[in-house]
Amino acid sequence: MDLGSTTAKAVVIDESGTILAASTVAMGAVSRAGMRRAVDEALSAAGLSAADLAGTVSTGYGRRLVPGAQRSFTEITCHARGTSAMVPGCRLVIDIGGQDSKAITVDDHGMVQEFAMNDRCASGTGRFYEVLAQAIEVPLEEVGELALQGSNDLEISTMCATFAETEIVSLLARDAPIADIAASVHRAIASRTLALVAQVGRHTPVVLTGGVARNPAAVEFLARALDTGVLVPEHPQITGAYGAALLARDAGRRGRQVMDDVAGADDLFPRPPETHSCGSCDGTSSTGAVALGLPVRLGG
């Protein structure tokens, strides 16, 4: 179970790691009701009840709020585990969520090596794309295709989502084509993501996960910024929940209860109060190398 900042995801797997059912629900910020609905939908689709589950693990922005979870793991752990299973051999995972973005490097066995995380500023996150869609009055699901039609590179001087709408409105007032505006915003976000990747180093293959991975322009502009191909799993939004399910399965195979990945994980991966800054938003990312108590291996 993955309770994110804007969506809740639940995945049910069998002993082989095959996904039996999955559900994604968008119901506002860190919604417990959304999480319960996602769990109910996934269990119903799998033809199971909560009593049939051998283990449960939660992750995500609100991992400590997930009802029924035996233990919780950080997003870093679960996204690395789930993505490595979905895309064997991946070396760099870029996850762009609603309110944060992450760059994670994994080794030959799919274990986390280093990570960088922007969790204090909405720049380069799903929220920034929402601001763009609202400002140009285009449905969010159509913004990507529109951006691919843009040809002129307009200057986007700020990457602060709080003030981005003002700058976009200014471009509209100068009669700039909305396709060019959309393309320029995507290009700027890709550049911001590139800076995050620079903190952990470029590795290939690169895999993009999160809801933003469904945006074709986000994938295209990120590939251009990295100068390499970017892979997208078939179900990019559920990699964290899938990784959590695999960790629950692995613990069951060892005949012991699921344990937290790091003692005091909430102290190591705190959620700071929401702050706003503008300009380059310096100091908004955290980095680290993690050694986990549970090995994260490739494959199902």
Side-chain angles (χ1 to χ4, degrees):
M1 300 174 286
D2 178 3
L3 181 53
S5 60
T6 57
T7 59
K9 286 81 66 175
V11 172
V12 180
I13 64 172
D14 63 14
E15 177 62 22
S16 70
T18 300
I19 296 176
L20 301 179
S23 177
T24 300
V25 174
M27 290 187 66
V30 195
S31 170
R32 296 192 195 194
M35 189 73 259
R36 284 193 295 269
R37 178 177 157 188
V39 170
D40 290 343
E41 289 182 1
L43 288 174
S44 176
L48 301 170
S49 68
D52 296 320
L53 299 175
T56 58
V57 165
S58 67
T59 190
Y61 202 89
R63 61 185 179 275
R64 298 299 185 184
L65 305 177
V66 174
Q70 296 170 320
R71 291 291 187 271
S72 64
F73 283 69
T74 67
E75 304 100 298
I76 304 299
T77 305
C78 291
H79 281 290
R81 180 69 174 97
T83 305
S84 294
M86 285 186 176
V87 187
C90 73
R91 291 295 177 269
L92 174 62
V93 179
I94 300 174
D95 180 75
I96 303 180
Q99 296 288 349
D100 64 25
S101 54
K102 299 173 280 290
I104 310 164
T105 57
V106 297
D107 64 13
D108 292 340
H109 304 290
M111 297 181 68
V112 178
Q113 290 183 307
E114 294 185 83
F115 71 92
M117 184 172 183
N118 170 25
D119 58 359
R120 299 180 185 178
C121 176
S123 67
T125 69
R127 174 57 185 157
F128 208 101
Y129 292 96
E130 292 176 359
V131 169
L132 168 64
Q134 292 168 3
I136 63 176
E137 299 182 326
V138 171
L140 181 61
E141 60 272 17
E142 298 177 12
V143 164
E145 292 294 343
L146 178 66
L148 291 176
Q149 301 171 26
S151 57
N152 295 322
D153 186 6
L154 307 176
E155 181 180 358
I156 303 295
S157 60
T158 179
M159 278 304 295
C160 180
T162 307
F163 302 106
E165 187 170 6
T166 300
E167 185 160 10
I168 294 171
V169 169
S170 177
L171 290 172
L172 290 170
R174 286 162 26 205
D175 204 25
I178 61 172
D180 288 345
I181 294 174
S184 298
V185 169
H186 279 71
R187 189 178 293 106
I189 292 174
S191 177
R192 178 69 173 177
T193 305
L194 184 62
L196 192 67
V197 170
Q199 297 180 53
V200 299
R202 297 195 195 188
H203 300 266
T204 56
V206 181
V207 180
L208 179 64
T209 64
V212 171
R214 298 180 302 166
N215 178 331
V219 178
E220 174 63 24
F221 281 97
L222 181 59
R224 294 180 192 177
L226 292 171
D227 194 25
T228 188
V230 173
L231 304 174
V232 177
E234 183 178 359
H235 303 291
Q237 279 189 282
I238 65 169
T239 53
Y242 182 45
L246 289 171
L247 289 168
R249 187 278 311 268
D250 293 347
R253 282 181 171 177
R254 290 189 293 272
R256 66 188 191 191
Q257 288 186 337
V258 178
M259 300 299 292
D260 285 345
D261 55 336
V262 179
D266 281 335
D267 294 328
L268 293 175
F269 299 90
R271 286 297 181 186
E274 183 176 355
T275 59
H276 298 290
S277 58
C278 58
S280 62
C281 295
D282 290 336
T284 59
S285 65
S286 54
T287 61
V290 293
L292 306 178
L294 293 177
V296 185
R297 301 293 180 185
L298 282 171

